[in-house]
Amino acid sequence: TSSNGAITGVVSERDIVKKVAVLDRSVQEVRVKEIMTTAPNLITATTDDSVRECLHKMTESDIRHLPILDETGTRAVGMLSIKDCVQALLEEQDMTIEMLQNLSVGKTGFFVVD
């Protein structure tokens, strides 16, 4: 990030493997700024994006991690992984299944039948 917190780039395992080989130098000799993915090629999301939107961005762009920016889209606030998204979607799915099971046996949010 820059001094004001703006994201300037991201280095992935893929960047290291592919770009270091092209430079024909050792990993110890290569500077991060030489291989990092920078804007406008950097795929990001904001804190206002949904988990599904983030997962879609990652799968469409063939990336496993997504930098998360604040609501203004200027300051980096975190990193989201595909694993994070899958866990959130599974939790949502589990809650839906439980709600449908409760509904099928007469247990709803409005009344409980024992």
Side-chain angles (χ1 to χ4, degrees):
T1 59
S2 66
S3 59
N4 66 351
I7 192 164
T8 55
V10 171
V11 176
S12 69
E13 179 182 355
R14 188 175 297 154
D15 290 328
I16 294 169
V17 170
K18 288 184 175 183
K19 296 176 182 177
V20 170
V22 170
L23 293 173
D24 197 28
R25 296 177 13 220
S26 74
V27 174
Q28 292 81 11
E29 298 172 321
V30 176
R31 309 287 296 172
V32 169
K33 66 182 177 183
E34 296 177 80
I35 62 170
M36 70 181 180
T37 301
T38 58
N41 299 323
L42 190 60
I43 308 298
T44 62
T46 69
T47 53
D48 291 328
D49 288 331
S50 72
V51 171
R52 288 184 189 278
E53 289 170 322
C54 291
L55 188 56
H56 179 74
K57 285 181 181 188
M58 286 189 272
T59 56
E60 286 295 309
S61 304
D62 196 25
I63 57 176
R64 295 185 307 255
H65 295 86
L66 189 63
I68 305 299
L69 308 179
D70 63 10
E71 52 280 340
T72 66
T74 56
R75 192 173 64 84
V77 295
M79 185 72 73
L80 188 69
S81 71
I82 284 184
K83 181 181 177 182
D84 297 329
C85 292
V86 169
Q87 285 177 328
L89 293 173
L90 287 174
E91 287 173 15
E92 179 185 322
Q93 191 176 47
D94 287 345
M95 288 189 319
T96 300
I97 290 169
E98 182 179 352
M99 184 181 68
L100 291 172
Q101 286 173 336
N102 287 340
L103 185 61
S104 72
V105 295
K107 293 180 182 179
T108 66
F110 302 108
F111 61 90
V112 176
V113 177
D114 286 325

